[in-house]
């Protein structure tokens, strides 16, 4: 007998055997029936709770397959910069933060995007120092590949004119050789390491608060992705385990492992997929290049305003690491932004297929992944067909990058965020937020992928509109596709026997005019059969 029945709605099941329905019944943590109102309501008992959807759309819970959950959960308490309208606005926020906290306490912020400012200049320590002379300050750009520190933060990190650039990082310097405060790629970690790490209790509180925030967006599953040279990964994994042991983990969580720890991971015998229905070991994360905003994405041709970017790892070393991980039962994900990076990474996975065939070894249970695939030439997209790979892209980030890419790449921008091309290769394509790079809102990602327009409706015809996708494509990329890729077939699809992770949207976005997609919101989120967020 079901505990809960939703009826009088539109159920987009994502199930190939039954694409649409009117009602769904839930018993404990499982879906027990899907079908017509009359059929499902007939199953109700005296204690069954019935919820009238009144025409709303019910879909599987969204899975965000690339989120920096640890960083976002903690930085939600920091200075918000994603909507800073100018350099002066950013600086005023730093000044206000400094006025509210004791001297010596760190001021952390994340999310600024200078490309949309009236004067698109990146702040330096000379801008920050007058705003917070008694506080160390570290501010991340929205893409996390560039950060700015003030003089006190640089001093605490021991960075001065004599400090060499770290491997795969760059300390920007002025004409006299002094650091400007701008740090690119792994140079950021020199300052991060000077920050006192948070306690496990603080991290746990932050995780629970962030989980509740994700439920408001309809997110019921995540892949928590490590940053480069991430020393916080162990803390994050421990807190996830503590929450799971106490049955307080209300997200189906795949935790990725840092590529720099590959030897340790192999020695411990860990394999991708190990865990239970709420917490599993995910992929091992590597970086092939940086980001467009920092001009560290690795390009075939030079940027219009910079050189060709940079690889963050020797490609032979990366190929060797991927092969070792594959042999040990570990799937890998490789960050690749620029077209040169994607060209080289595809070659690595092509060679891996040949090596595996010669060794007569089966592919991993969970496919390897390329993360972002932000710029790819058509000839390289064709090479993806037939490879045992999955792709992860971030539609909402495209909206932040339109001005940046137009300025940095000109007409070559047509090769970026090529969602339609990638879907047409037949390789599984998953959508994500890359939060805190973008808000962890799948509805925002769906709008971006379907319209390729900013919230103000520009560009009128969509930015390189040939790469638009359908609403159904976009929903699937947040639900059924990631579930199939991660081989957890009891989520991502509304079908009897599957886990009861579902969300209810205020509007049926499948037939809503695209110009009205922004009206849709999440009205309810159900995780493991429990209503964890409700607005009606």
């Amino acid at each position: 007998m079901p505990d809960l029945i939703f009826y009088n709605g539109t159920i987009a099941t994502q199930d190939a055997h039954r694409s649409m329905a009117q009602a769904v019944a839930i018993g404990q943590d499982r879906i027990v029936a899907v079908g017509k109102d009359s059929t499902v309501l007939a199953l109700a008992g005296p204690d069954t709770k019935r919820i009238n959807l009144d025409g709303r759309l019910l879909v599987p819970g969204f899975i965000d397959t690339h989120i920096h959950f640890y960083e976002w959960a903690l930085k939600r308490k920091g200075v918000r910069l994603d909507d800073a309208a100018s350099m002066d606005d950013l600086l005023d926020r730093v000044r206000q933060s400094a006025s509210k906290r004791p001297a010596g306490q760190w001021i952390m912020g994340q999310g600024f995007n200078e490309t949309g400012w009236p004067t698109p200049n990146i702040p330096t320590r000379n801008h920050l120092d007058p705003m917070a002379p008694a506080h160390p300050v570290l501010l991340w750009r929205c893409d996390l590949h560039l950060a700015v520190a003030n003089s006190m933060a640089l001093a605490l990190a021991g960075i001065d004119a004599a400090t060499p650039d770290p491997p795969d990082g760059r300390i920007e310097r002025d004409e006299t050789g002094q650091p400007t405060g701008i740090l690119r790629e792994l140079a950021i970690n020199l300052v991060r390491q000077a920050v006192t790490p948070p306690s496990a209790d603080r991290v746990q509180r932050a995780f629970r608060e962030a989980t509740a925030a994700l439920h408001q967006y309809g997110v019921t599953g995540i892949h928590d992705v490590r940053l480069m040279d991430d020393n916080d990964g162990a803390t994050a994994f421990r807190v996830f385990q503590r929450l799971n042991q106490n049955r307080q983990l209300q997200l189906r969580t795949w935790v990725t492992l840092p590529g720099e720890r590959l030897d340790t991971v192999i020695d411990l015998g860990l394999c991708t997929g190990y865990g239970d229905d709420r917490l599993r070991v995910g992929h091992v994360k590597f970086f092939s290049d940086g980001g467009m905003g920092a001009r560290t994405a690795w390009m075939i041709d030079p940027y219009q305003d910079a050189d060709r970017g940079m690889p963050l790892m020797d490609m032979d070393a990366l190929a060797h690491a991927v092969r070792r991980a594959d042999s040990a039962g570990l799937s890998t994900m490789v960050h690749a932004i620029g077209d040169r990076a994607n060209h080289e990474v595809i070659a690595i996975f092509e060679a891996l297929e040949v090596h595996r065939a010669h060794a007569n070894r089966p592919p991993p249970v969970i496919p390897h992944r390329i993360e972002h695939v932000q710029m790819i030439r058509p000839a390289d997209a064709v090479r993806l067909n037939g490879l045992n790979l999955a792709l992860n892209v971030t539609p909402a980030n495209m909206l932040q990058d339109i001005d940046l890419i137009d300025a940095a790449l000109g007409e070559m921008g047509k090769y970026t965020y090529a969602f339609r091309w990638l879907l047409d290769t037949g390789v599984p394509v998953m959508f994500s937020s890359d939060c805190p790079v973008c808000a962890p809102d799948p509805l925002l990602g769906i709008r971006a992928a379907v319209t390729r327009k900013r919230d103000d409706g520009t560009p009128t015809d969509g930015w390189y509109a040939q790469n638009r996708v359908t609403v159904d494509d976009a929903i699937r990329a947040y639900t059924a596709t990631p579930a199939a890729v991660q081989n957890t077939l009891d989520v991502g699809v509304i079908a009897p026997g599957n886990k009861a992770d579902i969300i209810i949207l205020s509007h049926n976005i499948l037939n809503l005019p695209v110009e009205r997609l922004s009206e849709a919101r999440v009205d309810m989120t159900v995780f493991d059969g429990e209503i964890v967020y409700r607005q009606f």
Side-chain angles (χ1 to χ4, degrees), residues 158-323:
I159 298 175
D160 57 25
T163 305
D165 287 345
D168 303 323
R170 186 180 306 154
I171 301 168
E172 294 294 319
R173 306 171 196 273
D174 63 22
E175 60 277 3
T176 69
Q178 293 295 324
T180 66
I182 297 175
L183 307 166
R184 300 180 192 270
E185 304 301 344
L186 290 186
I188 302 169
N189 287 341
L190 299 177
V191 177
R192 286 184 74 214
Q193 291 163 8
V195 181
T196 302
S199 68
D201 287 343
R202 179 186 163 198
V203 174
Q204 181 165 317
R205 288 194 301 271
F207 276 21
R208 297 190 68 176
E209 292 171 4
T211 296
L214 286 183
H215 289 158
Q216 296 181 36
Y217 292 120
V219 176
T220 58
I222 62 170
H223 294 188
D224 179 40
V225 178
R226 303 273 60 82
L227 297 175
M228 289 174 286
D229 195 21
D230 187 353
N231 292 318
D232 301 318
T235 299
F237 202 10
R238 277 195 291 267
V239 171
F240 278 128
Q241 290 177 83
R242 181 195 293 184
L243 289 169
N244 194 37
Q245 288 163 358
N246 295 328
R247 300 301 289 174
Q248 295 175 339
L249 181 59
Q250 293 189 304
L251 293 168
R252 304 204 189 279
T253 305
W254 288 67
V255 179
T256 68
L257 306 172
E260 314 88 73
R261 307 288 191 268
L262 179 60
D263 288 344
T264 300
V265 172
I266 291 174
D267 288 345
L268 289 173
L270 290 174
C271 292
T272 298
Y274 173 75
D276 60 24
D277 66 333
R278 296 200 186 194
L279 182 62
R280 292 182 186 272
V281 173
H283 292 64
V284 180
K285 172 74 180 294
F286 295 96
F287 287 79
S288 68
D289 69 342
M292 289 274 186
R295 302 301 191 270
T296 52
W298 193 19
M299 310 295 287
I300 293 172
D301 298 316
Y303 295 95
Q304 295 194 155
D305 56 359
D307 203 350
R308 289 181 170 82
M310 57 193 286
L312 292 185
M313 189 171 181
D314 176 79
M315 291 299 103
D316 288 340
L318 176 57
H320 179 68
V322 168
R323 187 179 297 180

Side-chain angles (χ1 to χ4, degrees), residues 345-394:
V345 169
I346 292 169
I348 287 172
F349 286 116
E350 287 174 331
L352 178 64
E353 296 277 355
V354 174
H355 175 77
R356 190 188 295 120
H358 287 163
N360 197 28
R361 191 175 69 249
V365 175
I366 310 298
H368 300 286
R369 293 167 40 170
I370 305 179
E371 304 301 293
H372 308 302
V373 203
Q374 188 167 313
M375 183 175 185
I376 186 168
R377 301 294 180 99
D380 287 328
V382 170
R383 295 165 61 203
L384 293 166
N385 188 25
L387 292 179
N388 185 46
L389 282 176
L391 309 178
N392 187 286
V393 299
T394 308

Side-chain angles (χ1 to χ4, degrees), residues 5-217:
I5 290 177
F6 294 100
Y7 68 97
N8 189 28
T10 300
I11 317 295
T13 68
Q14 304 302 305
D15 185 351
H17 303 292
R18 181 199 291 271
S19 61
M20 304 298 292
Q22 293 176 311
V24 59
I26 295 172
Q28 296 184 354
D29 63 345
R30 297 280 176 174
I31 295 168
V32 297
V34 181
K36 294 181 178 180
D37 284 340
S38 57
T39 303
V40 175
L41 285 170
L43 301 174
D47 296 325
T48 301
K49 183 176 183 179
R50 302 164 180 84
I51 296 180
N52 186 347
L53 295 178
D54 196 24
R56 291 177 175 86
L57 178 67
L58 185 151
V59 299
F62 292 134
I63 303 169
D64 190 332
T65 49
H66 190 119
I67 179 173
H68 303 287
F69 184 78
Y70 174 89
E71 288 73 24
W72 175 65
L74 292 173
K75 289 187 176 68
R76 293 175 73 241
K77 303 297 185 181
V79 183
R80 180 180 174 182
L81 301 175
D82 58 299
D83 60 347
S86 65
M87 172 88 77
D88 287 343
D89 187 4
L90 177 147
L91 295 175
D92 187 57
R93 296 183 191 202
V94 173
R95 181 188 59 77
Q96 290 185 43
S97 181
S99 71
K100 298 174 182 177
R101 63 186 68 203
Q105 190 175 97
W106 279 87
I107 295 173
M108 312 280 276
Q110 194 276 327
F112 75 87
N113 184 358
E114 78 290 348
T115 59
W117 293 350
T119 304
N121 293 331
I122 297 171
T124 67
R125 64 182 177 89
N126 292 332
H127 295 103
L128 298 177
D129 286 351
M131 302 298 107
H135 299 78
V137 178
L138 182 62
L139 310 178
W140 274 264
R141 191 182 183 279
C142 60
D143 60 3
L144 302 180
H145 292 274
L146 180 149
V148 184
N150 72 345
S151 294
M152 181 175 288
L154 293 174
L156 289 172
I159 298 175
D160 57 25
T163 305
D165 287 345
D168 303 323
R170 186 180 306 154
I171 301 168
E172 294 294 319
R173 306 171 196 273
D174 63 22
E175 60 277 3
T176 69
Q178 293 295 324
T180 66
I182 297 175
L183 307 166
R184 300 180 192 270
E185 304 301 344
L186 290 186
I188 302 169
N189 287 341
L190 299 177
V191 177
R192 286 184 74 214
Q193 291 163 8
V195 181
T196 302
S199 68
D201 287 343
R202 179 186 163 198
V203 174
Q204 181 165 317
R205 288 194 301 271
F207 276 21
R208 297 190 68 176
E209 292 171 4
T211 296
L214 286 183
H215 289 158
Q216 296 181 36
Y217 292 120

Side-chain angles (χ1 to χ4, degrees), residues 457-481:
T458 60
T460 304
D461 297 324
W463 190 68
Y464 297 112
Q466 69 272 20
N467 268 306
R468 288 183 299 208
V469 304
T470 68
V471 172
D472 188 60
D473 288 332
I475 293 175
R476 185 166 293 272
Y478 278 114
T479 57
T481 298

